[in-house]
Amino acid sequence: MAQDRVEAVERALTVLEVFDSSQEAFALAELAEATGFYKSTLLRLLGSLARFDYVQRGEDGRWRLGGSPMRLARRHAPSQQLAVRVQPWLDRLAAETGETAALLALHPGEAECRLAALPATPLRHDLRPGSRWPVEQDVDPRPALPGGTMTCLALADAPGEPPLWLSLSGPAGRLAPGAAHEALARARDALSRSLAGEEETPR
């Protein structure tokens, strides 16, 4: 009904709809062409969306989706089920290795931390869910970690999800790469069985 409409909200949602595209980032002029809005109107809408992290403006001046749409998407039932299965294994990895364990999602040109478990030590990689960073290769989700290292291992494809990776990260030299890879491989194999319904999650 007409009285139920809020024009400013609908305009903001119209802007967000533009990002449902294979194009990752948009110049202000491109958003204006796609929405039909004046640039001055767009800047106000984008400013509000950016304050709630629905969009982000890069150093190149182009606009990209922020972390909030992905955070809300994780409330979708398949993603919730994935989190229920994966988080116990991350907790176990962090406890056994003393390193930060995480589930990473790889998007075109960008990686995102979906889930994380931090070790009980002050000297650690403070990786948090929702953290995002650019990647140059779509087959390597590792960020630059000055003074630190990250070991990653790809998970089997999950329906409705981008490519997913398990990772262990922390100060360089604390955990040998071979040991990190072995721990990730054990978790990956057990997690694959868990996701297939063949094994319970760790308690």
Side-chain angles (χ1 to χ4, degrees):
M1 297 176 63
Q3 61 265 34
D4 295 330
R5 298 179 59 185
V6 179
E7 186 175 354
V9 174
E10 292 192 3
R11 286 185 175 185
L13 292 173
T14 299
V15 175
L16 288 177
E17 286 291 330
V18 178
F19 292 90
D20 186 12
S21 164
S22 59
Q23 184 172 332
E24 291 296 316
F26 296 84
L28 186 64
E30 292 174 315
L31 291 173
E33 182 178 356
T35 60
F37 298 155
Y38 291 114
K39 291 182 181 179
S40 57
T41 300
L42 268 174
L43 284 173
R44 291 195 297 272
L45 293 169
L46 289 166
S48 292
L49 290 169
R51 278 191 285 277
F52 288 86
D53 198 28
Y54 281 88
V55 296
Q56 297 174 352
R57 190 177 187 182
E59 294 181 359
D60 58 0
R62 296 169 68 83
W63 294 89
R64 298 166 174 79
L65 279 179
S68 289
M70 294 181 186
R71 173 176 53 80
L72 292 175
R74 290 196 293 272
R75 305 301 300 169
H76 188 254
S79 291
Q80 284 185 300
Q81 179 64 21
L82 182 67
V84 167
R85 294 288 189 177
V86 173
Q87 188 64 54
W89 292 103
L90 298 182
D91 295 339
R92 181 172 176 173
L93 276 171
E96 290 180 351
T97 67
E99 302 290 74
T100 296
L103 177 70
L104 309 180
L106 192 56
H107 308 282
E110 184 178 68
E112 176 203 9
C113 174
R114 294 282 295 274
L115 301 167
L118 303 180
T121 174
L123 187 60
R124 65 192 184 193
H125 179 204
D126 279 317
L127 186 57
R128 306 286 179 176
S131 300
R132 301 165 70 188
W133 56 89
V135 293
E136 295 183 0
Q137 302 180 50
D138 290 341
V139 294
D140 187 356
R142 292 176 297 174
L145 289 176
T149 60
M150 176 180 281
T151 302
C152 298
L153 198 60
L155 281 175
D157 291 341
E161 296 287 349
L164 298 173
W165 298 67
L166 290 175
S167 73
L168 284 171
S169 56
R174 187 163 68 184
L175 182 66
H181 189 275
E182 289 179 8
L184 288 172
R186 288 194 299 270
R188 179 198 59 188
D189 294 344
L191 182 55
S192 296
R193 295 193 295 272
S194 176
L195 291 172
E198 299 173 5
E199 183 175 300
E200 295 292 329
T201 55
R203 299 182 183 278

